[in-house]
Coordinates of all heavy atoms in Angstrom, one line a residue:
M49 N 10.2 13.9 0.8 CA 11.0 14.4 -0.3 C 10.3 14.2 -1.6 O 9.9 13.1 -1.8 CB 12.4 13.8 -0.3 CG 13.3 14.3 -1.4 SD 15.0 13.7 -1.3 CE 15.6 14.5 0.1
A50 N 10.2 15.2 -2.4 CA 9.5 15.1 -3.7 C 10.6 14.9 -4.8 O 11.7 15.3 -4.6 CB 8.7 16.3 -4.0
T51 N 10.2 14.3 -5.9 CA 11.0 14.1 -7.0 C 10.3 14.6 -8.3 O 9.2 14.3 -8.5 CB 11.4 12.6 -7.2 OG1 12.0 12.1 -6.0 CG2 12.3 12.4 -8.4
I52 N 11.1 15.4 -9.1 CA 10.6 15.8 -10.4 C 11.7 15.5 -11.4 O 12.9 15.7 -11.1 CB 10.2 17.3 -10.4 CG1 9.5 17.7 -11.7 CG2 11.3 18.2 -10.0 CD1 8.9 19.0 -11.7
N53 N 11.3 15.1 -12.6 CA 12.3 14.8 -13.6 C 12.6 16.1 -14.3 O 11.6 16.9 -14.6 CB 11.8 13.8 -14.6 CG 12.9 13.3 -15.5 OD1 13.3 14.0 -16.5 ND2 13.5 12.2 -15.2
G54 N 13.8 16.4 -14.6 CA 14.2 17.6 -15.3 C 13.5 17.9 -16.6 O 13.2 19.0 -17.0
K55 N 13.2 16.8 -17.3 CA 12.5 17.0 -18.6 C 11.0 17.4 -18.4 O 10.4 17.9 -19.4 CB 12.6 15.7 -19.5 CG 11.8 14.5 -18.9 CD 12.0 13.3 -19.8 CE 11.3 12.1 -19.1 NZ 11.9 10.9 -19.2
D56 N 10.5 17.3 -17.2 CA 9.1 17.7 -16.9 C 9.1 19.2 -16.5 O 8.0 19.7 -16.2 CB 8.5 16.8 -15.9 CG 8.4 15.4 -16.4 OD1 8.1 15.2 -17.6 OD2 8.5 14.5 -15.5
I57 N 10.2 19.8 -16.3 CA 10.3 21.2 -15.9 C 10.2 22.1 -17.1 O 11.1 22.1 -17.9 CB 11.5 21.5 -15.0 CG1 11.5 20.6 -13.8 CG2 11.6 23.0 -14.7 CD1 12.8 20.7 -13.0
R58 N 9.1 22.9 -17.2 CA 8.9 23.8 -18.3 C 9.0 25.3 -17.8 O 9.3 26.2 -18.5 CB 7.5 23.6 -18.9 CG 7.3 22.3 -19.6 CD 8.1 22.2 -20.9 NE 9.2 21.3 -20.7 CZ 10.4 21.4 -21.3 NH1 10.7 22.3 -22.1 NH2 11.4 20.6 -21.0
K59 N 8.7 25.4 -16.5 CA 8.7 26.8 -15.9 C 9.4 26.8 -14.5 O 9.0 26.1 -13.6 CB 7.3 27.4 -15.7 CG 7.3 28.8 -15.3 CD 5.9 29.3 -15.4 CE 5.8 30.8 -15.2 NZ 4.4 31.3 -15.3
L60 N 10.5 27.5 -14.4 CA 11.3 27.6 -13.2 C 11.1 29.0 -12.7 O 11.2 30.0 -13.4 CB 12.7 27.3 -13.5 CG 13.7 27.4 -12.3 CD1 14.9 26.4 -12.5 CD2 14.2 28.8 -12.0
V61 N 10.7 29.2 -11.4 CA 10.5 30.5 -10.8 C 11.6 30.7 -9.8 O 11.9 29.9 -8.9 CB 9.1 30.6 -10.1 CG1 9.0 31.8 -9.3 CG2 8.1 30.5 -11.2
V62 N 12.3 31.9 -9.9 CA 13.2 32.3 -8.8 C 12.4 33.3 -8.0 O 12.0 34.4 -8.4 CB 14.4 33.1 -9.5 CG1 15.3 33.6 -8.4 CG2 15.2 32.1 -10.4
A63 N 12.1 32.9 -6.7 CA 11.3 33.7 -5.8 C 12.3 34.5 -4.9 O 13.3 34.0 -4.5 CB 10.4 32.8 -4.9
C64 N 11.8 35.8 -4.7 CA 12.7 36.7 -3.9 C 11.9 37.4 -2.9 O 10.6 37.3 -2.9 CB 13.4 37.7 -4.8 SG 12.2 38.9 -5.5
D65 N 12.5 38.2 -2.1 CA 11.8 39.0 -1.1 C 12.5 40.4 -0.9 O 11.8 41.4 -0.9 CB 11.8 38.3 0.2 CG 11.0 39.1 1.3 OD1 9.9 39.6 0.9 OD2 11.4 39.1 2.4
A66 N 13.8 40.4 -0.8 CA 14.5 41.7 -0.3 C 14.5 42.7 -1.4 O 14.6 43.9 -1.1 CB 15.9 41.3 0.1
G67 N 14.5 42.4 -2.7 CA 14.6 43.4 -3.7 C 16.0 44.0 -3.9 O 16.1 45.1 -4.4
M68 N 17.0 43.2 -3.5 CA 18.4 43.7 -3.6 C 19.0 43.5 -5.0 O 20.1 43.9 -5.3 CB 19.2 43.0 -2.5 CG 18.8 43.3 -1.1 SD 18.8 45.0 -0.7 CE 20.6 45.3 -0.6
G69 N 18.3 42.7 -5.8 CA 18.8 42.4 -7.1 C 19.6 41.1 -7.3 O 19.8 40.7 -8.4
S70 N 20.0 40.5 -6.2 CA 20.7 39.2 -6.3 C 19.9 38.1 -7.0 O 20.4 37.4 -7.8 CB 21.1 38.7 -4.9 OG 21.9 39.7 -4.3
S71 N 18.6 38.0 -6.7 CA 17.8 37.0 -7.3 C 17.5 37.3 -8.8 O 17.3 36.4 -9.6 CB 16.5 36.8 -6.5 OG 15.8 38.0 -6.4
V72 N 17.5 38.6 -9.1 CA 17.4 39.0 -10.5 C 18.6 38.5 -11.3 O 18.5 38.0 -12.4 CB 17.2 40.5 -10.7 CG1 17.2 40.9 -12.1 CG2 15.9 41.0 -10.0
M73 N 19.8 38.7 -10.7 CA 21.0 38.2 -11.4 C 20.9 36.7 -11.5 O 21.3 36.1 -12.6 CB 22.3 38.5 -10.6 CG 22.7 40.0 -10.7 SD 24.3 40.3 -10.0 CE 24.3 39.5 -8.4
L74 N 20.5 36.0 -10.5 CA 20.3 34.5 -10.6 C 19.4 34.1 -11.7 O 19.7 33.2 -12.5 CB 19.9 33.9 -9.3 CG 19.6 32.4 -9.3 CD1 20.8 31.6 -9.7 CD2 19.1 32.0 -7.9
A75 N 18.2 34.8 -11.8 CA 17.3 34.5 -12.8 C 17.9 34.7 -14.2 O 17.7 33.9 -15.1 CB 16.0 35.3 -12.7
S76 N 18.6 35.8 -14.4 CA 19.3 36.0 -15.7 C 20.3 35.0 -16.0 O 20.4 34.5 -17.1 CB 20.0 37.4 -15.6 OG 20.7 37.7 -16.8
T77 N 21.1 34.5 -15.0 CA 22.1 33.5 -15.2 C 21.4 32.2 -15.6 O 21.8 31.5 -16.6 CB 22.9 33.3 -14.0 OG1 23.6 34.5 -13.6 CG2 23.9 32.1 -14.1
L78 N 20.3 31.9 -15.0 CA 19.5 30.6 -15.3 C 18.9 30.7 -16.7 O 18.9 29.7 -17.4 CB 18.5 30.4 -14.2 CG 19.0 29.9 -12.9 CD1 17.9 29.9 -11.8 CD2 19.7 28.6 -13.0
R79 N 18.4 31.9 -17.1 CA 17.9 32.0 -18.4 C 19.0 31.7 -19.5 O 18.7 31.0 -20.5 CB 17.4 33.4 -18.7 CG 16.0 33.7 -18.1 CD 15.5 35.0 -18.5 NE 14.4 35.4 -17.6 CZ 14.5 36.2 -16.6 NH1 15.6 36.9 -16.3 NH2 13.5 36.5 -15.8
K80 N 20.2 32.1 -19.2 CA 21.3 31.9 -20.2 C 21.6 30.4 -20.1 O 21.8 29.8 -21.2 CB 22.5 32.7 -19.8 CG 22.3 34.2 -20.1 CD 23.5 35.0 -19.6 CE 23.2 36.5 -19.7 NZ 24.3 37.2 -19.0
Q81 N 21.7 29.8 -19.0 CA 22.1 28.4 -18.8 C 21.1 27.4 -19.4 O 21.4 26.4 -19.9 CB 22.4 28.0 -17.4 CG 23.6 28.7 -16.8 CD 23.7 28.4 -15.3 OE1 22.8 28.1 -14.6 NE2 25.0 28.4 -14.8
L82 N 19.8 27.8 -19.3 CA 18.7 26.9 -19.7 C 18.0 27.4 -21.0 O 17.0 26.8 -21.4 CB 17.6 26.9 -18.6 CG 18.1 26.4 -17.3 CD1 17.1 26.5 -16.2 CD2 18.6 24.9 -17.4
G83 N 18.6 28.3 -21.7 CA 18.1 28.9 -22.9 C 17.7 27.8 -24.0 O 16.7 27.9 -24.6
K84 N 18.6 26.8 -24.2 CA 18.4 25.8 -25.2 C 17.5 24.7 -24.8 O 17.1 23.9 -25.6 CB 19.7 25.2 -25.6 CG 20.7 26.2 -26.3 CD 22.0 25.6 -26.7 CE 22.9 26.6 -27.3 NZ 24.2 26.1 -27.7
S85 N 17.1 24.7 -23.5 CA 16.3 23.6 -23.0 C 14.8 23.9 -23.1 O 14.0 23.0 -22.9 CB 16.6 23.3 -21.5 OG 16.3 24.5 -20.7
G86 N 14.4 25.1 -23.5 CA 13.0 25.4 -23.6 C 12.3 25.8 -22.3 O 11.1 25.9 -22.3
V87 N 13.0 25.9 -21.2 CA 12.5 26.2 -19.9 C 12.3 27.7 -19.8 O 13.3 28.5 -20.0 CB 13.3 25.7 -18.8 CG1 12.8 26.1 -17.4 CG2 13.4 24.2 -18.8
T88 N 11.2 28.2 -19.3 CA 10.9 29.6 -19.0 C 11.4 29.8 -17.6 O 11.1 29.1 -16.7 CB 9.4 29.9 -19.1 OG1 9.0 29.6 -20.4 CG2 9.1 31.3 -18.8
V89 N 12.2 30.9 -17.4 CA 12.6 31.3 -16.1 C 12.0 32.6 -15.7 O 12.1 33.6 -16.5 CB 14.2 31.4 -16.0 CG1 14.7 31.9 -14.6 CG2 14.8 30.1 -16.4
E90 N 11.3 32.7 -14.6 CA 10.6 33.9 -14.2 C 11.2 34.3 -12.8 O 11.5 33.4 -12.0 CB 9.1 33.7 -14.1 CG 8.4 33.7 -15.4 CD 6.9 33.7 -15.3 OE1 6.4 33.9 -14.2 OE2 6.3 33.5 -16.3
H91 N 11.1 35.6 -12.5 CA 11.5 36.1 -11.2 C 10.3 36.7 -10.6 O 9.6 37.6 -11.2 CB 12.6 37.2 -11.5 CG 13.0 37.9 -10.2 ND1 12.6 39.1 -9.9 CD2 13.8 37.5 -9.3 CE1 13.1 39.5 -8.8 NE2 13.9 38.5 -8.3
T92 N 9.9 36.3 -9.4 CA 8.7 36.8 -8.8 C 8.9 36.9 -7.3 O 9.7 36.2 -6.7 CB 7.4 35.8 -9.0 OG1 7.7 34.6 -8.4 CG2 7.2 35.6 -10.5
P93 N 8.0 37.8 -6.7 CA 8.1 37.8 -5.2 C 7.6 36.5 -4.6 O 6.8 35.8 -5.2 CB 7.1 38.9 -4.8 CG 6.9 39.7 -6.1 CD 7.2 38.8 -7.2
V94 N 8.2 36.1 -3.5 CA 7.9 34.8 -2.9 C 6.4 34.7 -2.5 O 5.8 33.6 -2.6 CB 8.7 34.6 -1.6 CG1 8.3 35.5 -0.5 CG2 8.7 33.1 -1.2
N95 N 5.7 35.8 -2.3 CA 4.3 35.7 -2.0 C 3.4 35.6 -3.3 O 2.2 35.6 -3.2 CB 3.8 36.9 -1.2 CG 4.4 36.9 0.2 OD1 4.7 35.8 0.8 ND2 4.7 38.1 0.8
S96 N 4.0 35.6 -4.4 CA 3.3 35.6 -5.7 C 3.7 34.5 -6.6 O 3.8 34.7 -7.9 CB 3.4 37.0 -6.4 OG 2.9 38.0 -5.6
I97 N 4.1 33.4 -6.1 CA 4.6 32.3 -7.0 C 3.4 31.8 -7.8 O 2.3 31.5 -7.4 CB 5.1 31.1 -6.1 CG1 6.3 31.6 -5.3 CG2 5.4 29.9 -6.9 CD1 6.7 30.6 -4.2
P98 N 3.6 31.8 -9.2 CA 2.5 31.5 -10.1 C 2.1 30.0 -10.0 O 3.0 29.1 -9.7 CB 3.1 31.8 -11.5 CG 4.5 31.9 -11.3 CD 4.8 32.2 -9.9
A99 N 0.9 29.7 -10.2 CA 0.3 28.4 -10.1 C 0.9 27.4 -11.2 O 0.9 26.2 -11.0 CB -1.2 28.4 -10.3
D100 N 1.4 28.0 -12.3 CA 2.0 27.1 -13.3 C 3.5 26.9 -13.2 O 4.1 26.3 -14.1 CB 1.6 27.7 -14.7 CG 2.2 29.0 -15.0 OD1 2.7 29.7 -14.0 OD2 2.2 29.4 -16.2
A101 N 4.1 27.2 -12.1 CA 5.5 27.0 -11.8 C 5.7 25.5 -11.7 O 4.9 24.8 -11.0 CB 6.0 27.7 -10.6
D102 N 6.7 24.9 -12.3 CA 7.0 23.5 -12.1 C 8.0 23.3 -10.9 O 8.0 22.3 -10.3 CB 7.6 22.9 -13.4 CG 6.6 22.9 -14.5 OD1 5.5 22.4 -14.3 OD2 7.0 23.4 -15.6
V103 N 8.9 24.3 -10.7 CA 9.8 24.2 -9.6 C 10.1 25.7 -9.2 O 10.1 26.6 -10.0 CB 11.1 23.4 -10.0 CG1 11.9 24.1 -11.1 CG2 12.0 23.1 -8.8
V104 N 10.4 25.8 -7.9 CA 10.7 27.2 -7.4 C 12.1 27.1 -6.7 O 12.4 26.2 -5.9 CB 9.6 27.6 -6.3 CG1 10.0 28.9 -5.7 CG2 8.2 27.6 -6.9
V105 N 12.9 28.1 -7.0 CA 14.2 28.2 -6.5 C 14.2 29.5 -5.6 O 13.8 30.6 -6.1 CB 15.3 28.3 -7.6 CG1 16.7 28.6 -7.0 CG2 15.3 27.1 -8.4
C106 N 14.7 29.4 -4.4 CA 14.7 30.6 -3.5 C 15.8 30.4 -2.5 O 16.2 29.3 -2.2 CB 13.3 30.9 -2.9 SG 12.8 29.6 -1.7
H107 N 16.1 31.5 -1.8 CA 17.1 31.5 -0.8 C 16.5 30.7 0.4 O 15.3 30.7 0.6 CB 17.4 32.9 -0.3 CG 18.6 33.0 0.6 ND1 18.4 32.9 2.0 CD2 19.9 33.1 0.4 CE1 19.6 32.9 2.5 NE2 20.6 33.1 1.6
N108 N 17.4 30.0 1.1 CA 17.0 29.1 2.2 C 16.1 29.9 3.2 O 15.2 29.3 3.8 CB 18.2 28.5 2.9 CG 18.8 27.3 2.2 OD1 18.1 26.7 1.4 ND2 20.0 27.1 2.4
G109 N 16.4 31.2 3.4 CA 15.7 32.0 4.4 C 14.2 32.2 3.9 O 13.4 32.6 4.7
L110 N 13.9 32.0 2.7 CA 12.5 32.2 2.2 C 11.8 30.8 1.9 O 10.7 30.8 1.5 CB 12.6 33.0 0.8 CG 13.1 34.4 0.9 CD1 13.2 35.0 -0.5 CD2 12.3 35.2 1.8
A111 N 12.5 29.7 2.0 CA 12.0 28.4 1.7 C 10.7 28.1 2.4 O 9.7 27.6 1.8 CB 13.0 27.3 1.8
A112 N 10.6 28.4 3.7 CA 9.4 28.1 4.5 C 8.2 28.9 3.9 O 7.1 28.4 3.8 CB 9.6 28.3 5.9
R113 N 8.4 30.2 3.6 CA 7.4 31.0 3.1 C 6.9 30.5 1.7 O 5.7 30.5 1.4 CB 7.8 32.5 3.0 CG 7.7 33.2 4.3 CD 8.1 34.6 4.3 NE 7.6 35.4 3.3 CZ 8.2 36.6 2.9 NH1 9.3 37.0 3.5 NH2 7.6 37.3 1.9
A114 N 7.9 30.1 0.9 CA 7.6 29.6 -0.4 C 6.7 28.4 -0.3 O 5.8 28.2 -1.1 CB 8.9 29.3 -1.2
R115 N 7.1 27.5 0.6 CA 6.3 26.2 0.8 C 4.9 26.5 1.3 O 4.0 25.8 0.9 CB 7.0 25.3 1.8 CG 8.2 24.6 1.2 CD 8.9 23.6 2.1 NE 10.1 23.1 1.5 CZ 11.3 23.6 1.8 NH1 11.5 24.6 2.6 NH2 12.3 23.1 1.2
S116 N 4.7 27.6 2.1 CA 3.4 27.9 2.5 C 2.5 28.6 1.4 O 1.3 28.4 1.3 CB 3.4 28.9 3.7 OG 3.8 30.2 3.4
V117 N 3.2 29.3 0.5 CA 2.5 29.9 -0.6 C 2.2 28.9 -1.7 O 1.1 28.9 -2.4 CB 3.3 31.1 -1.2 CG1 2.7 31.6 -2.5 CG2 3.4 32.2 -0.2
A118 N 3.1 28.0 -2.0 CA 3.0 27.0 -3.0 C 3.3 25.6 -2.5 O 4.3 25.0 -2.8 CB 4.0 27.4 -4.2
P119 N 2.4 25.1 -1.6 CA 2.7 23.8 -1.0 C 2.8 22.6 -1.9 O 3.4 21.6 -1.6 CB 1.5 23.6 0.0 CG 0.4 24.5 -0.6 CD 1.1 25.6 -1.3
D120 N 2.2 22.7 -3.1 CA 2.3 21.6 -4.1 C 3.4 21.7 -5.0 O 3.6 20.8 -5.9 CB 1.0 21.5 -4.8 CG 0.7 22.8 -5.6 OD1 1.1 23.9 -5.2 OD2 0.0 22.7 -6.7
K121 N 4.3 22.7 -4.9 CA 5.4 22.9 -5.8 C 6.7 22.4 -5.2 O 7.0 22.6 -4.0 CB 5.6 24.3 -6.2 CG 4.3 25.0 -6.8 CD 4.0 24.3 -8.1 CE 2.7 24.9 -8.6 NZ 2.2 24.2 -9.7
P122 N 7.6 21.8 -6.0 CA 9.0 21.5 -5.4 C 9.7 22.8 -5.2 O 9.8 23.7 -6.0 CB 9.6 20.7 -6.5 CG 8.5 20.3 -7.5 CD 7.4 21.3 -7.3
I123 N 10.3 23.0 -4.0 CA 11.0 24.2 -3.6 C 12.5 23.8 -3.4 O 12.8 22.9 -2.6 CB 10.5 24.8 -2.3 CG1 8.9 25.0 -2.3 CG2 11.2 26.1 -1.9 CD1 8.4 26.0 -3.3
V124 N 13.4 24.5 -4.1 CA 14.8 24.2 -4.0 C 15.4 25.4 -3.3 O 15.4 26.5 -3.8 CB 15.5 24.0 -5.3 CG1 17.0 23.8 -5.1 CG2 14.8 22.8 -6.0
G125 N 15.9 25.2 -2.1 CA 16.5 26.3 -1.3 C 18.0 26.3 -1.6 O 18.6 25.3 -1.8
F126 N 18.6 27.5 -1.6 CA 20.0 27.7 -1.8 C 20.6 28.7 -0.8 O 19.8 29.4 -0.2 CB 20.3 28.1 -3.3 CG 19.8 29.5 -3.6 CD1 20.4 30.6 -3.3 CD2 18.5 29.5 -4.3 CE1 19.9 31.9 -3.6 CE2 18.0 30.8 -4.6 CZ 18.7 31.9 -4.3
Q127 N 21.9 28.6 -0.6 CA 22.6 29.5 0.3 C 23.2 30.7 -0.3 O 23.1 31.8 0.2 CB 23.6 28.7 1.1 CG 24.1 29.3 2.4 CD 23.0 29.5 3.4 OE1 22.1 28.7 3.5 NE2 23.0 30.6 4.1
V128 N 23.9 30.5 -1.4 CA 24.5 31.7 -2.1 C 23.9 31.8 -3.5 O 23.5 30.9 -4.1 CB 26.0 31.5 -2.3 CG1 26.7 31.5 -0.9 CG2 26.4 30.2 -3.0
F129 N 23.8 33.1 -4.0 CA 23.1 33.4 -5.2 C 23.7 32.9 -6.5 O 23.1 32.6 -7.4 CB 22.8 34.9 -5.3 CG 21.6 35.3 -4.4 CD1 21.8 35.7 -3.1 CD2 20.3 35.2 -4.8 CE1 20.8 36.0 -2.3 CE2 19.3 35.5 -4.0 CZ 19.5 36.0 -2.7
L130 N 25.0 32.8 -6.5 CA 25.7 32.4 -7.7 C 26.7 31.3 -7.3 O 27.5 31.4 -6.4 CB 26.5 33.5 -8.4 CG 25.6 34.7 -8.9 CD1 26.4 35.8 -9.4 CD2 24.6 34.2 -9.9
G131 N 26.6 30.1 -8.1 CA 27.5 29.0 -7.9 C 27.0 28.1 -6.8 O 27.8 27.2 -6.4
D132 N 25.8 28.2 -6.3 CA 25.3 27.3 -5.2 C 25.1 25.9 -5.8 O 24.5 25.7 -6.9 CB 24.1 27.8 -4.6 CG 23.7 27.1 -3.3 OD1 23.3 25.9 -3.4 OD2 23.9 27.7 -2.2
P133 N 25.6 24.8 -5.1 CA 25.4 23.4 -5.6 C 23.9 23.0 -5.8 O 23.6 22.3 -6.7 CB 26.0 22.6 -4.5 CG 26.9 23.5 -3.7 CD 26.4 24.9 -3.9
A134 N 23.0 23.6 -5.0 CA 21.6 23.3 -5.1 C 21.0 23.8 -6.5 O 20.3 23.1 -7.1 CB 20.8 23.9 -4.0
V135 N 21.5 24.9 -6.9 CA 21.0 25.5 -8.2 C 21.7 24.7 -9.3 O 21.0 24.4 -10.3 CB 21.3 27.0 -8.2 CG1 21.0 27.6 -9.6 CG2 20.6 27.8 -7.1
T136 N 22.9 24.3 -9.1 CA 23.6 23.5 -10.1 C 22.9 22.2 -10.4 O 22.8 21.7 -11.5 CB 25.1 23.3 -9.7 OG1 25.7 24.6 -9.5 CG2 25.8 22.5 -10.7
R137 N 22.4 21.6 -9.3 CA 21.7 20.3 -9.4 C 20.4 20.5 -10.2 O 20.1 19.7 -11.0 CB 21.2 19.8 -8.0 CG 22.3 19.0 -7.3 CD 21.8 18.3 -6.1 NE 20.4 18.5 -5.7 CZ 20.1 19.3 -4.6 NH1 21.0 19.9 -3.9 NH2 18.8 19.5 -4.3
V138 N 19.7 21.6 -10.1 CA 18.5 21.9 -10.8 C 18.9 22.0 -12.3 O 18.2 21.4 -13.2 CB 17.8 23.2 -10.3 CG1 16.6 23.6 -11.2 CG2 17.3 23.0 -8.9
V139 N 19.9 22.8 -12.6 CA 20.3 23.0 -14.0 C 20.7 21.7 -14.6 O 20.2 21.4 -15.8 CB 21.5 24.0 -14.1 CG1 22.1 24.1 -15.5 CG2 21.0 25.4 -13.6
K140 N 21.5 20.9 -14.0 CA 21.9 19.6 -14.5 C 20.7 18.7 -14.7 O 20.6 18.0 -15.8 CB 22.9 18.9 -13.6 CG 24.3 19.6 -13.7 CD 25.3 18.8 -12.9 CE 26.7 19.4 -13.0 NZ 27.7 18.8 -12.2
A141 N 19.8 18.7 -13.8 CA 18.6 17.8 -14.0 C 17.8 18.2 -15.2 O 17.3 17.3 -16.0 CB 17.7 17.9 -12.7
I142 N 17.7 19.5 -15.4 CA 16.9 20.0 -16.6 C 17.7 19.7 -17.9 O 17.1 19.1 -18.9 CB 16.6 21.5 -16.5 CG1 15.6 21.8 -15.4 CG2 16.1 22.1 -17.8 CD1 15.5 23.2 -15.0
Q143 N 19.0 19.9 -17.9 CA 19.8 19.7 -19.1 C 19.9 18.3 -19.4 O 20.0 17.9 -20.6 CB 21.2 20.4 -18.9 CG 21.1 21.9 -18.9 CD 22.5 22.5 -18.6 OE1 23.3 21.9 -18.0 NE2 22.6 23.8 -19.1
Q144 N 20.0 17.4 -18.4 CA 20.2 16.0 -18.6 C 19.0 15.1 -18.6 O 19.0 13.9 -18.9 CB 21.3 15.5 -17.6 CG 22.6 16.2 -17.8 CD 23.6 15.8 -16.6 OE1 23.3 15.0 -15.8 NE2 24.8 16.4 -16.7
G145 N 17.9 15.7 -18.2 CA 16.6 15.0 -18.1 C 16.6 14.0 -17.0 O 16.0 12.9 -17.1
T146 N 17.3 14.3 -15.9 CA 17.4 13.4 -14.8 C 16.5 13.8 -13.6 O 16.0 14.9 -13.6 CB 18.9 13.3 -14.3 OG1 19.3 14.6 -14.0 CG2 19.8 12.7 -15.4
D147 N 16.4 12.9 -12.6 CA 15.5 13.3 -11.5 C 16.2 14.3 -10.6 O 17.4 14.3 -10.3 CB 15.2 12.0 -10.7 CG 14.2 11.1 -11.3 OD1 13.5 11.5 -12.3 OD2 14.1 9.9 -10.9
L148 N 15.3 15.2 -10.0 CA 15.7 16.2 -9.1 C 14.9 15.9 -7.8 O 13.7 15.9 -7.8 CB 15.4 17.6 -9.6 CG 15.6 18.7 -8.6 CD1 17.1 18.9 -8.3 CD2 15.1 20.0 -9.2
N149 N 15.6 15.5 -6.7 CA 15.0 15.3 -5.4 C 15.0 16.5 -4.6 O 16.1 17.1 -4.4 CB 15.8 14.1 -4.7 CG 15.7 12.8 -5.5 OD1 14.7 12.4 -5.9 ND2 16.8 12.2 -5.7
V150 N 13.9 16.9 -4.2 CA 13.8 18.2 -3.4 C 13.0 17.9 -2.1 O 12.1 17.1 -2.1 CB 13.2 19.3 -4.2 CG1 14.1 19.8 -5.2 CG2 11.8 19.0 -4.7

């Protein structure tokens, strides 16, 4: 299990695959929630996770692929696109500057 402190997160990537728009909605929601924290939120395909990502958020079904593409990045998997406790933990860690265990 890896740990990253929320204050060290400058770039959060929402990785997707299906192109259904759900992850775009999540990225938009995260931009609004994290707007005052100075964190950049990007939406990218799971196979194109940028090297400068500090943390990657993706659906649990994509987590293994995300880990293979970005093995050195903390990957946070979630089950539902809006209101998932795993995503809430990431937001709180960034806003409060606390540790995020992934």
Side-chain angles (χ1 to χ4, degrees):
M49 182 175 287
T51 300
I52 185 170
N53 190 283
K55 67 182 177 217
D56 296 327
I57 298 173
R58 296 286 109 215
K59 186 173 191 177
L60 182 150
V61 171
V62 179
C64 71
D65 185 41
M68 300 297 291
S70 302
S71 55
V72 173
M73 285 191 316
L74 175 59
S76 177
T77 299
L78 288 171
R79 278 185 199 103
K80 290 176 189 170
Q81 291 176 331
L82 299 173
K84 294 180 181 176
S85 65
V87 173
T88 300
V89 177
E90 287 188 9
H91 177 258
T92 66
V94 70
N95 292 330
S96 302
I97 296 169
D100 62 344
D102 294 311
V103 67
V104 178
V105 175
C106 65
H107 190 270
N108 283 334
L110 298 174
R113 278 177 52 199
R115 285 184 186 95
S116 70
V117 171
D120 59 328
K121 305 295 178 191
I123 309 293
V124 177
F126 61 85
Q127 197 62 36
V128 293
F129 282 92
L130 297 175
D132 192 285
V135 176
T136 302
R137 275 193 353 259
V138 174
V139 171
K140 283 185 179 178
I142 292 169
Q143 290 174 335
Q144 298 173 2
T146 56
D147 285 345
L148 175 66
N149 297 313
V150 292

